[in-house]
Amino acid sequence: MVRKKGSLILCGAFLFVAWNALLLLFLWGRPPIGRLGEVGGAEPGGGKEWGVVAGKGGGADLAGEVIRLAEEVESELETQKHLLKQIQSHRSLWERRKEMGKREAEIAKEKKKNEEEAEIKRPQQSPQPPPKKTAIDNADQSNGKNAQDPIASPLPDSKDKEQTINNEKLPTTAAPVQVVIPILVIACDRVTVKRSLDKLIQYRPSAELYPIIVSQDCGHAETAQVIGSYGSQVTHLRQPDISDIRVRPEHRKFQGYYKIARHYRWALNQVFNQLSYSTVVIVEDDLEVAPDFFEYFRALYPILSSDPTLWCVSAWNDNGRDGLVDPGKPGLLYRTDFFPGLGWMLLRELWEELEPKWPAAFWDDWMRQPDQRRDRSCIRPEISRTITFGRKGVSLGQFFDQYLRYIKLNTEFVPFTKLDLSYLVRERYNENFEREVYGAPIVKVEELQQRGGLVGEGPFRVEYSSRDSFKVLARNLGVMDDLKSGVPRAGYRGVVSFLSRGRRIYLAPPAGWTHYDTSWS
């Protein structure tokens, strides 16, 4: 295989050199072309032969022709050089995919061998009559338990679990094949991408299950050098189109947003269409991840895959500032109607839905529009599993100094794959949500801000009735007050949950809420 690869590389190099040599000979031997409006050109009807014109000061024309020829050769060489770089950047991808294919084939072969050995060792037994129902079986039937109930039964787990019958432990069957969850790092011209990659590699439990793909836009050489220093630990893709985008005159200052949207589209097409992954977690080059970042997404993948009312899982809490979150509940998760981004997982099926209508710019706000969200929700944590350290960017530090720099990053590892997360299923979640929020007593902001003004540990509810009242209350309570398509940040059914002076507070609309008002944006 190595000899075959070497032969292919030599053939490719020979063809590359031969092609450029032929191109050079062709361009050198081609007769010069007269410019529009000049007499004596080489085109038919030029009036005079080229040699005659050269006699009348044609030396300058000849020098110009040589310069033009050199420029054409240089341009063609640059094109060929760019193509070689693209081939080189994808070579590591092809090798990694081939290695993964071999590994999967070996695992399947070993599994088949173990099953055959187990079949040979299994003793032959005569047919037995059906067992009589025990008291436990009768009790299960009388209680109406159903193993197929998606809420009563635990959600699928990525790790083996022990089953017990009559207090006796029974071994489980062979572990199911775990899905590969690639991490796509969107990069441009930040050499501080090293901070992001260092943490991802440090906390990554398996390079096979969590391949890291860095997609770079901008063509920034120093950033490319940093990414390349990781070698085979990451796959480095380069966005081929880094040209400016034609926009309306009033949108010239938003050129960066147009390029980001173009880059996202290209990178996601690479992950799903070229590399054929079924899911992906997207982070950006200014995000640092928590120790249980990979555990978090691994545990929530089955829920995202099975619940059509969800369309993403996010590692981010927009109101995750220290003092607004409960440090004693790092494993608490929520449903939210607001698309958080900043470290989020989506499935291939969602990309197939969004890609044909992907916007030219402002992709994240576009995701928050009703036509895209379609009443679907995301999962978010109480304490963020990412923080951003990139103050400077296309948004020019919007919200960074006021909110983002204070976001608390989780430091305690939570074994999410061993927890029962079925409470996140919409029907069960909504039932508990309504009871918890609208069963809480209504209080005024002044009571929250006065020491000793409230009795009890909460939760408490602060009610708003209009866009303006929401913004005033949010500012007074220290949570983000902006709305996108009428949806508050981190909100679910109009409700924003956070801590204030150690008490759980729900900033909520009146009972009976039915829909968001897009005019509130």
Side-chain angles (χ1 to χ4, degrees):
M1 180 62 71
V2 175
R3 185 177 301 170
K4 185 177 180 181
K5 284 185 178 179
S7 300
L8 289 174
I9 293 172
L10 286 175
C11 289
F14 175 77
L15 290 174
F16 175 75
V17 173
W19 168 255
N20 283 281
L22 289 173
L23 181 64
L24 184 60
L25 289 173
F26 170 75
L27 293 175
W28 187 264
R30 189 175 61 179
I33 299 173
R35 294 177 182 170
L36 184 64
E38 292 181 351
V39 296
E43 295 295 330
K48 293 183 180 179
E49 295 300 323
W50 180 78
V52 176
V53 178
K56 298 180 179 180
D61 292 340
L62 178 59
E65 191 68 22
V66 171
I67 292 172
R68 181 185 60 78
L69 180 62
E71 290 176 348
E72 289 183 1
V73 172
E74 183 179 1
S75 175
E76 184 63 27
L77 287 176
E78 285 297 324
T79 302
Q80 297 296 327
K81 183 179 178 182
H82 180 71
L83 290 174
L84 279 179
K85 285 184 177 180
Q86 289 298 308
I87 293 172
Q88 185 180 6
S89 66
H90 282 77
R91 181 180 174 187
S92 60
L93 277 177
W94 298 333
E95 291 178 352
R96 179 167 296 183
R97 296 293 292 173
K98 189 175 293 183
E99 289 176 3
M100 290 182 63
K102 288 181 179 179
R103 191 175 293 108
E104 291 175 357
E106 290 174 0
I107 293 173
K109 184 177 179 181
E110 186 67 22
K111 182 179 178 182
K112 183 178 180 181
K113 181 180 178 182
N114 292 337
E115 290 176 350
E116 290 175 351
E117 291 177 355
E119 186 68 25
I120 294 173
K121 294 178 181 180
R122 185 180 295 128
Q124 298 294 328
Q125 296 180 356
S126 58
Q128 297 292 332
K132 295 181 179 180
K133 292 183 179 180
T134 63
I136 294 178
D137 296 329
N138 292 330
D140 287 347
Q141 288 187 357
S142 64
N143 290 333
K145 291 183 178 178
N146 187 347
Q148 302 301 319
D149 185 352
I151 297 180
S153 59
L155 290 169
D157 200 346
S158 61
K159 297 185 177 180
D160 290 340
K161 293 185 177 180
E162 292 180 329
Q163 299 176 346
T164 58
I165 296 180
N166 295 333
N167 296 324
E168 293 184 4
K169 293 182 179 180
L170 297 178
T172 61
T173 57
V177 178
Q178 293 188 338
V179 66
V180 175
I181 304 178
I183 311 299
L184 175 62
V185 182
I186 300 293
C188 182
D189 58 356
R190 288 190 179 106
V191 294
T192 51
V193 67
K194 177 176 172 56
R195 177 174 170 182
S196 298
L197 294 176
D198 284 347
K199 288 299 182 181
L200 285 169
I201 293 172
Q202 176 184 348
Y203 297 137
R204 178 172 63 171
S206 167
E208 289 74 22
L209 292 178
Y210 305 98
I212 298 174
I213 304 166
V214 185
S215 181
Q216 185 189 1
D217 198 3
C218 307
H220 191 246
E222 289 79 3
T223 302
Q225 186 176 2
V226 170
I227 299 168
S229 68
Y230 288 88
S232 61
Q233 294 183 94
V234 306
T235 297
H236 187 190
L237 303 180
R238 291 177 174 85
Q239 214 282 76
D241 186 3
I242 58 175
S243 61
D244 284 342
I245 301 172
R246 297 187 63 177
V247 299
R248 302 193 305 271
E250 62 270 23
H251 271 209
R252 287 173 184 167
K253 61 182 178 181
F254 301 129
Q255 178 75 214
Y257 290 100
Y258 282 84
K259 290 185 176 182
I260 288 174
R262 178 178 65 185
H263 185 198
Y264 263 81
R265 185 176 204 161
W266 181 86
L268 286 170
N269 276 331
Q270 294 297 306
V271 169
F272 290 122
N273 299 336
Q274 300 300 320
L275 303 179
S276 301
Y277 289 112
S278 61
T279 186
V280 69
V281 176
I282 306 171
V283 297
E284 296 183 356
D285 56 1
D286 61 345
L287 292 183
E288 179 180 326
V289 303
D292 57 356
F293 175 85
F294 295 94
E295 174 81 358
Y296 173 78
F297 284 106
R298 171 67 59 183
L300 289 169
Y301 172 79
I303 300 179
L304 179 63
S305 302
S306 60
D307 188 348
T309 68
L310 293 173
W311 71 327
C312 88
V313 175
S314 175
W316 182 259
N317 177 4
D318 279 288
N319 290 312
R321 297 175 59 179
D322 205 358
L324 296 179
V325 295
D326 189 343
K329 295 181 178 179
L332 184 58
L333 307 178
Y334 298 84
R335 294 177 70 101
T336 176
D337 296 326
F338 189 90
F339 171 72
L342 294 175
W344 60 288
M345 178 166 63
L346 75 157
L347 303 177
R348 181 208 299 270
E349 292 77 12
L350 178 64
W351 180 242
E352 291 173 348
E353 172 193 326
L354 298 178
E355 196 274 341
K357 55 179 180 176
W358 190 252
F362 310 108
W363 69 270
D364 48 351
D365 283 343
W366 176 83
M367 289 275 289
R368 293 160 183 153
Q369 295 173 0
D371 290 345
Q372 278 64 252
R373 191 172 68 83
R374 292 169 49 191
D375 294 324
R376 292 173 292 192
S377 303
C378 294
I379 301 296
R380 71 162 180 90
E382 168 78 358
I383 304 177
S384 292
R385 264 59 187 185
T386 57
I387 56 169
T388 176
F389 54 84
R391 183 181 184 277
K392 294 183 178 179
V394 294
S395 62
L396 302 178
Q398 184 184 24
F399 297 130
F400 186 87
D401 291 331
Q402 188 176 2
Y403 295 104
L404 303 183
R405 66 184 300 178
Y406 302 108
I407 295 293
K408 177 179 175 61
L409 180 67
N410 181 64
T411 56
E412 179 181 341
F413 187 92
V414 177
F416 284 109
T417 57
K418 297 180 180 178
L419 302 180
D420 180 9
L421 303 178
S422 61
Y423 68 89
L424 294 169
V425 175
R426 183 167 69 172
E427 291 74 14
R428 183 174 174 183
Y429 187 90
N430 285 353
E431 181 180 350
N432 296 332
F433 175 85
E434 291 282 342
R435 182 172 59 250
E436 176 79 7
V437 172
Y438 291 100
I442 297 179
V443 298
K444 297 183 179 299
V445 173
E446 295 75 15
E447 297 177 273
L448 292 175
Q449 295 173 339
Q450 293 174 0
R451 294 187 177 275
L454 293 175
V455 178
E457 297 299 322
F460 299 102
R461 176 162 47 106
V462 177
E463 194 168 282
Y464 68 89
S465 57
S466 66
R467 174 184 179 273
D468 291 340
S469 66
F470 171 82
K471 294 181 78 68
V472 169
L473 292 171
R475 289 169 186 167
N476 285 328
L477 293 169
V479 298
M480 297 189 76
D481 66 343
D482 63 317
L483 303 104
K484 303 291 184 181
S485 296
V487 184
R489 290 183 182 265
Y492 183 69
R493 299 177 64 84
V495 179
V496 179
S497 173
F498 57 95
L499 288 191
S500 178
R501 298 180 181 270
R503 296 184 175 96
R504 176 63 57 183
I505 304 299
Y506 298 115
L507 181 57
W513 179 96
T514 56
H515 65 280
Y516 292 104
D517 187 344
T518 55
S519 68
W520 286 21
S521 297

